[in-house]
């Protein structure tokens, strides 16, 4: 069976872990944590990067940093992972779900403005499949209504937004805050892991305090103060050096990993584009303002029946294709809290989206085989 995902190991992970263990300091905020943070700051122009134990934790830090409290409203896409919403609901926010675009599972930027009320504090966007949202529209709305923007860039490492002026801005460097994930299903992984990107200077100082359990220990270790204590709310958000060392081995190889993943993406695309649309299948569209970082290759089936047939038949042919998010606004937990608006694109992607096997070690001839099986199955379905 070709799995949907298989974590890639570069080969240096255990060496760096051994090195971290050898230094005798394996708690957080050591050498490898700093290397990883510097990598993000230098490579992606992030003002201050803080490694976290997950993207979920980084999102929870965002909610704390933005002082989200009961009564505040936060606009979030319905088509996303639960953590995007949980982080803000844990602080008592009222989540207002937005729909996806018709041409892409990312949030429909044009649907946001009518959701803004005097209680709105933040817009949280998700760069689905590593494809940028229209950040010009988002940042303009944020400054017009004085809102904070959080980019959930869990899929979006090494992907870019191309500005109307022709600049190439790394995703995660544009919103006031942004979060990355190093879960084993993401391009760069440490098993579990994440990172908070702070792009607005005014959040930097407090972010370090929240990160270090509400203490000013980070300043203490830099020698800026001579004792540290409890100065604010916080929690334990920083990973150990064992995790950071593993991550460093991956980050060091990022360009090779990215190149390979883009190759796989393009091979799927060459095999499928022009061959499956006749069966009602839609293939990924990358808007002019976005780049592709080879995070995921997905298809959109003509309806739920065709989608379920494809998933089942692909499995019996030995390749594990999978569906993705289920609209959060109609989830068991949230349905009764939702305001009743229909979010039809989000529901459409919940019912029809398929992700194909995608991982570094997937061989090109396996990509070809998966694509040709898929085409055969579509033909069978059409004539059944
Ligand atoms: C994976 C993912 C997360 C959560 O990441 P963790 O590191 O597992 O906490 C959050 N948001 C999105 C969009 C994701 O894909």
């Amino acid at each position: 069976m070709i799995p949907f995902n298989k974590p890639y190991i570069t080969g240096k992970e255990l060496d760096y872990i051994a090195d971290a263990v050898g230094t005798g300091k394996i708690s957080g905020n050591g050498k490898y944590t700093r290397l990883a943070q510097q990598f993000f700051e230098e490579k992606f122009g992030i003002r201050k990067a803080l490694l976290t134990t997950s993207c979920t934790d980084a999102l929870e830090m965002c909610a704390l940093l933005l002082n989200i409290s009961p009564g505040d409203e936060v606009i979030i896409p319905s088509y996303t992972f639960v953590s995007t919403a949980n982080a803000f609901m844990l602080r008592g926010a009222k989540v207002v779900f937005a729909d996806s675009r018709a041409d892409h599972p990312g949030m429909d930027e044009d649907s946001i403005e009518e959701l803004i009320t005097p209680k709105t504090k933040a817009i949280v966007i998700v760069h689905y499949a590593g494809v940028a949202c229209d950040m010009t529209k988002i940042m303009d709305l944020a400054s017009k209504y004085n809102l904070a923007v959080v980019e959930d860039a869990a899929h979006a490492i090494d992907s870019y937004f191309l500005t109307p002026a022709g600049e190439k801005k790394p995703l995660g460097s544009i919103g006031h805050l942004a979060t990355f994930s190093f879960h084993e299903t993401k391009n760069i992984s440490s098993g579990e892991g994440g990172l908070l990107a702070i792009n607005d200077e005014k959040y930097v100082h407090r972010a370090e305090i929240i990160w270090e359990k509400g203490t000013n220990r980070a300043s203490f270790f830099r020698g800026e103060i001579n004792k540290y204590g409890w100065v604010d709310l916080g929690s334990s958000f920083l990973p150990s050096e064992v995790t950071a060392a593993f991550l460093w081995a991956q980050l060091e190889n990022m360009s090779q990993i990215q190149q390979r993943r883009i190759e796989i993406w393009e091979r799927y695309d060459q095999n499928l584009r022009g061959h499956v649309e006749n069966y009602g299948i839609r293939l990924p569209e990358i808007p002019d303002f976005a780049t592709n970082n080879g995070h995921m290759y997905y298809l959109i089936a003509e309806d739920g029946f065709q989608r379920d047939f494809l998933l089942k038949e692909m499995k019996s042919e030995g390749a594990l294709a999978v569906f993705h998010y289920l609209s959060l606004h109609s989830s068991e937990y949230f349905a009764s809290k939702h305001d009743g608006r229909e979010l039809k694109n989000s529901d459409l992607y919940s019912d029809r989206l398929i992700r194909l096997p995608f991982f570094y070690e997937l061989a090109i001839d396996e990509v070809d085989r998966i694509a040709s099986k898929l085409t055969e199955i579509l033909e069978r379905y059409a004539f059944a």
Side-chain angles (χ1 to χ4, degrees):
M1 179 75 75
I2 300 175
F4 168 67
N5 179 57
K6 182 176 172 224
Y8 172 58
I9 305 299
T10 68
K12 287 292 226 171
E13 286 82 355
L14 296 179
D15 294 343
Y16 292 156
I17 288 173
D19 180 52
V21 171
T23 65
K25 187 198 182 296
I26 51 170
S27 61
N29 202 6
K31 168 176 139 188
Y32 288 102
T33 299
R34 282 193 292 275
L35 281 170
Q37 292 177 172
Q38 244 166 37
F39 179 93
F40 273 79
E41 289 163 7
E42 283 162 18
K43 192 130 188 112
F44 302 130
I46 284 160
R47 169 70 191 79
K48 174 75 193 166
L50 293 175
L51 223 51
T52 59
T53 45
S54 63
C55 181
T56 303
D57 267 356
L59 286 160
E60 288 179 21
M61 285 186 71
C62 292
L64 282 163
L65 270 170
L66 297 175
N67 285 320
I68 298 297
S69 3
D72 291 343
E73 294 179 10
V74 180
I75 299 171
I76 294 175
S78 180
Y79 196 72
T80 183
F81 190 59
V82 289
S83 296
T84 323
N86 261 328
F88 295 88
M89 289 192 72
L90 278 167
R91 310 305 312 160
K94 176 180 166 199
V95 167
V96 178
F97 282 116
D99 206 359
S100 295
R101 292 166 61 115
D103 63 348
H104 187 271
M107 194 169 181
D108 180 359
E109 300 87 350
D110 295 326
S111 75
I112 298 172
E113 189 160 15
E114 64 191 31
L115 303 176
I116 297 172
T117 75
K119 292 181 176 166
T120 307
K121 284 282 167 61
I123 305 172
V124 186
I125 54 149
V126 178
H127 301 297
Y128 186 82
V131 173
C133 293
D134 186 336
M135 293 311 290
T136 307
K137 280 187 185 166
I138 304 276
M139 297 314 288
D140 284 354
L141 268 182
S143 65
K144 181 170 167 190
Y145 294 96
N146 194 25
L147 306 175
V149 171
V150 177
E151 297 174 78
D152 179 341
H155 305 177
I157 192 168
D158 197 29
S159 202
Y160 299 83
F161 174 64
L162 309 170
T163 70
E167 276 174 286
K168 197 174 159 188
K169 289 196 178 165
L171 300 185
S173 73
I174 308 167
H176 304 91
L177 300 168
T179 64
F180 289 90
S181 174
F182 310 121
H183 184 260
E184 75 170 16
T185 51
K186 308 302 201 285
N187 291 26
I188 298 289
S189 163
S190 53
E192 303 279 354
L195 182 138
L196 173 67
I198 304 129
N199 298 312
D200 185 333
E201 176 68 40
K202 76 169 181 252
Y203 298 115
V204 169
H205 179 67
R206 209 171 141 236
E208 271 190 340
I209 289 167
I210 291 173
W211 188 58
E212 283 272 25
K213 298 114 185 152
T215 72
N216 48 4
R217 191 162 79 167
S219 301
F220 173 72
F221 279 130
R222 278 195 300 266
E224 295 161 8
I225 47 177
N226 55 22
K227 60 180 171 42
Y228 75 89
W230 189 17
V231 295
D232 200 339
L233 280 180
S235 190
S236 181
F237 289 115
L238 72 171
S240 85
E241 279 288 289
V242 177
T243 297
F246 189 106
L247 179 66
W248 179 243
Q250 300 254 319
L251 288 173
E252 252 191 356
N253 285 285
M254 187 184 78
S255 52
Q256 172 203 332
I257 292 171
Q258 293 296 91
Q259 198 185 338
R260 175 69 188 160
R261 294 187 68 110
I262 291 168
E263 229 169 74
I264 293 169
W265 196 99
E266 286 175 347
R267 188 72 173 195
Y268 268 131
D269 207 59
Q270 281 158 15
N271 276 307
L272 296 171
R273 210 168 286 272
H275 302 282
V276 296
E277 294 88 339
N278 282 343
Y279 301 107
I281 299 290
R282 280 163 53 198
L283 296 175
E285 299 288 342
I286 297 180
D288 292 341
F289 56 71
T291 63
N292 172 28
N293 71 341
H295 176 59
M296 165 200 313
Y297 198 88
Y298 67 84
L299 323 167
I300 299 149
E302 64 182 359
D303 56 31
F305 296 106
Q306 189 197 36
R307 196 270 300 264
D308 294 346
F309 185 82
L310 284 170
L311 293 182
K312 186 163 90 12
E313 293 299 305
M314 287 298 288
K315 192 170 173 185
S316 68
E317 295 284 358
L320 212 58
V322 297
F323 58 91
H324 206 189
Y325 303 130
L326 299 175
S327 290
L328 293 180
H329 72 279
S330 48
S331 61
E332 182 182 330
Y333 177 64
F334 200 85
S336 61
K337 302 172 180 65
H338 182 58
D339 55 27
R341 276 172 303 117
E342 197 193 1
L343 303 176
K344 67 176 200 305
N345 292 328
S346 177
D347 288 342
L348 183 149
Y349 298 117
S350 301
D351 291 342
R352 305 195 201 167
L353 191 135
I354 297 176
R355 295 178 292 159
L356 298 180
F358 207 113
F359 49 91
Y360 184 90
E361 287 171 279
L362 186 63
I364 290 297
D365 65 325
E366 286 177 314
V367 173
D368 294 348
R369 211 147 46 80
I370 293 165
S372 77
K373 286 291 174 208
L374 188 81
T375 320
E376 277 170 41
I377 295 166
L378 281 167
E379 194 157 340
R380 243 191 288 143
Y381 184 79
F383 293 105

